[in-house]
Amino acid sequence: MATTNWAAEYELLAARLTDRGVDLGAVETALKAQQVETPSWGYADSGTRFGVFRQPGAPRDVFEKFEDAAQANQYTGIAAGVAVHIPWDTADWGKLAQYAHSLGVSVGAINPNVFQDYDYRFGSFGSERADVRARAVAHMKECVDVMNVVGSKNISLWFADGTNFPGQGDFRRRKQYFSECLAELYGALAGDQTLLVEYKPFEPSFYHTDIADWGMSYAFCQKLGPNAKVLVDLGHHLPGANIEHIVAFLLDEGRLGGFHFNNRKYADDDLTTGSINPYELYLIFNELVAGEQAGIANNIAYMIDESHTLKNKTAEMIQSLVALQTSYAKALLIDRAALRVAQESDDLVGAEEIIKDSFASDVRPLLWKVRSDLNLPNPADPLRGFLESGYIEEKAKERGVGGGSGLGA
């Protein structure tokens, strides 16, 4: 099998892009600066509600999760942050931050958990019980304390709160409880810390969810202040939702604070990023890049959040990171000046062809060049580099089977 001469391929691509007027230096600088956090829980054993599926070499504690996360960063160069989930993750947080630094990564967003304990079965911030609401707020404040120790700037909130039956709860009263609890938490943040509010239309509650869509999240954030922003999760939308439109709207409002990447076929977010609808992912990046160039999308917390149940965890993480690099690269190549001319002249066909042209571009030589400049181990194929490194086999021998679950099980 012939070996691709990536240097030659890059020179050909660079010539074509230069002829089109693309500022290749700016594109490569943006790609080198791209950062997407990976989740600590994504490296641990996981499963379904029917059971946890153990894998050889799965990490047994948060320190080993960070070891695996460092591998994903080592081969892609864009995953230096690692989000943690409390209390799924427990540690001497100062020690963990130091260990992360030694691995070339850092502790990223802090994710509290107010959806698994028995007390939260009827809600956390939306509970009718004042003691349960107080407990949930106290846990969130403990997470803020962790942020202060490790230097994290984002606390990422997702709530399972909702009801399964008509009449089970009062919509307006629960909304008011949420406003009160969120305001108390927001008041505990430092001036450079951001509160990210996620939403989800359904599951585990199937009659109503207290924060069911981006508009509800947006309304809560508007009341809280400028450091409260909406967190968009690619899998948390009803079928047919135009997610790129949501992204553009929130960007224009200055309220897009974070993005969780994954993919779905039916519901939720349990599939590899880019595995089902790569064109949708690209269209989302089209809006994100447009926002970057307008100066309104330069401080967004990007993270992967998907359930790696059957694949090797680190390998799937690398697959997702490469998909994100690829979509970002393609979106950076869109001829935005020509696109605006087509839009302003109502040239529907021309505008769509400009979008499709960049999506069809083979950006592998460009990504090879960027990764080469970053001195990554296998710039042409990060996934192959990892799979052939022997790391999976080494950790299977070292750790055995029966690591800790990423879902607290």
Side-chain angles (χ1 to χ4, degrees):
M1 184 168 150
T3 301
T4 301
N5 185 335
W6 288 106
E9 292 294 320
Y10 170 76
E11 291 301 326
L12 291 172
L13 177 62
R16 291 196 297 271
L17 294 176
T18 301
D19 286 344
R20 280 176 40 194
V22 173
D23 185 344
L24 196 56
V27 169
E28 293 177 6
T29 296
L31 285 166
K32 291 173 186 176
Q34 184 184 19
Q35 284 295 315
V36 180
E37 290 185 4
T38 62
S40 66
W41 59 96
Y43 295 97
D45 279 327
S46 59
T48 69
R49 57 185 171 177
F50 302 110
V52 173
F53 306 135
R54 307 292 180 184
Q55 290 190 12
R60 297 163 293 186
D61 58 36
V62 68
F63 291 89
E64 292 183 350
K65 293 176 186 178
F66 270 69
E67 291 175 5
D68 292 355
Q71 289 290 304
N73 184 53
Q74 178 182 334
Y75 284 92
T76 64
I78 68 167
V82 185
V84 297
H85 210 300
I86 301 172
W88 292 350
D89 295 317
T90 58
D92 176 327
W93 295 106
K95 183 178 179 181
L96 178 64
Q98 292 178 352
Y99 186 62
H101 181 74
S102 74
L103 296 171
V105 294
S106 61
V107 181
I110 307 299
N111 294 256
N113 183 319
V114 289
F115 53 83
Q116 278 194 302
D117 285 2
Y118 188 72
D119 279 355
Y120 297 135
R121 67 196 185 282
F122 298 132
S124 57
F125 279 16
S127 174
E128 287 288 352
R129 290 175 47 184
D131 62 318
V132 172
R133 298 197 301 274
R135 180 189 172 192
V137 172
H139 170 61
M140 300 281 189
K141 289 183 176 179
E142 290 172 356
C143 290
V144 173
D145 292 338
V146 174
M147 293 174 68
N148 295 332
V149 171
V150 301
S152 176
K153 299 303 180 186
N154 298 300
I155 183 167
S156 177
L157 310 184
W158 175 73
F159 298 92
D161 290 44
T163 59
N164 276 296
F165 310 101
Q168 178 182 337
D170 184 279
F171 295 151
R172 289 187 292 111
R173 190 162 61 241
R174 292 174 69 99
K175 172 179 174 290
Q176 291 158 14
Y177 292 152
F178 257 89
S179 291
E180 293 167 3
C181 293
L182 286 169
E184 185 175 350
L185 174 61
Y186 187 78
L189 296 176
D192 62 346
Q193 293 173 333
T194 301
L195 185 152
L196 303 174
V197 182
E198 195 172 356
Y199 56 90
K200 188 176 183 181
F202 68 95
E203 195 189 38
S205 298
F206 290 92
Y207 176 59
H208 107 281
T209 305
D210 283 293
I211 307 181
D213 61 33
W214 69 271
M216 294 181 189
S217 176
Y218 175 82
F220 282 123
C221 291
Q222 284 285 85
K223 288 183 179 180
L224 292 172
N227 285 5
K229 297 188 177 183
V230 179
L231 173 60
V232 177
D233 186 302
L234 187 53
H236 287 191
H237 298 85
L238 296 174
N242 188 325
I243 301 172
E244 55 268 31
H245 181 201
I246 296 169
V247 167
F249 192 100
L250 290 172
L251 279 172
D252 200 56
E253 291 293 314
R255 289 289 177 177
L256 181 63
F259 206 111
H260 282 185
F261 292 106
N262 44 64
N263 226 156
R264 68 175 174 85
K265 182 62 177 178
Y266 301 106
D268 210 348
D269 50 9
D270 294 335
L271 300 179
T272 310
T273 301
S275 62
I276 299 299
N277 193 346
Y279 192 57
E280 179 185 53
L281 183 63
Y282 162 74
L283 292 176
I284 289 168
F285 268 102
N286 169 38
E287 299 301 334
L288 292 169
V289 168
E292 287 180 359
Q293 295 181 0
I296 58 174
N298 298 317
N299 194 29
I300 298 172
Y302 295 118
M303 193 190 87
I304 292 170
D305 186 13
E306 55 198 38
S307 179
H308 306 162
T309 298
L310 298 176
K311 294 179 181 178
N312 175 271
K313 316 295 182 172
T314 308
E316 179 168 351
M317 208 70 76
I318 293 173
Q319 281 186 303
S320 295
L321 290 165
V322 170
L324 292 168
Q325 285 181 310
T326 301
S327 290
Y328 186 40
K330 291 182 176 186
L332 286 166
L333 298 183
I334 294 172
D335 187 338
R336 298 195 179 273
L339 180 62
R340 178 157 186 167
V341 169
Q343 291 169 340
E344 292 178 345
S345 60
D346 294 323
D347 181 0
L348 281 62
V349 172
E352 185 182 12
E353 287 301 307
I354 290 169
I355 294 293
K356 289 170 62 178
D357 179 66
S358 290
F359 179 69
S361 299
D362 182 358
V363 295
R364 290 177 300 171
L366 175 59
L367 295 178
W368 166 85
K369 176 63 164 54
V370 167
R371 298 187 194 118
S372 296
D373 289 349
L374 294 174
N375 297 313
L376 302 187
N378 190 328
D381 193 339
L383 179 60
R384 179 177 293 276
F386 170 71
L387 292 175
E388 294 179 349
S389 70
Y391 183 85
I392 295 175
E393 295 77 11
E394 174 190 338
K395 292 304 173 183
K397 183 178 179 180
E398 173 188 325
R399 301 172 182 169
V401 179
S405 169
L407 300 178

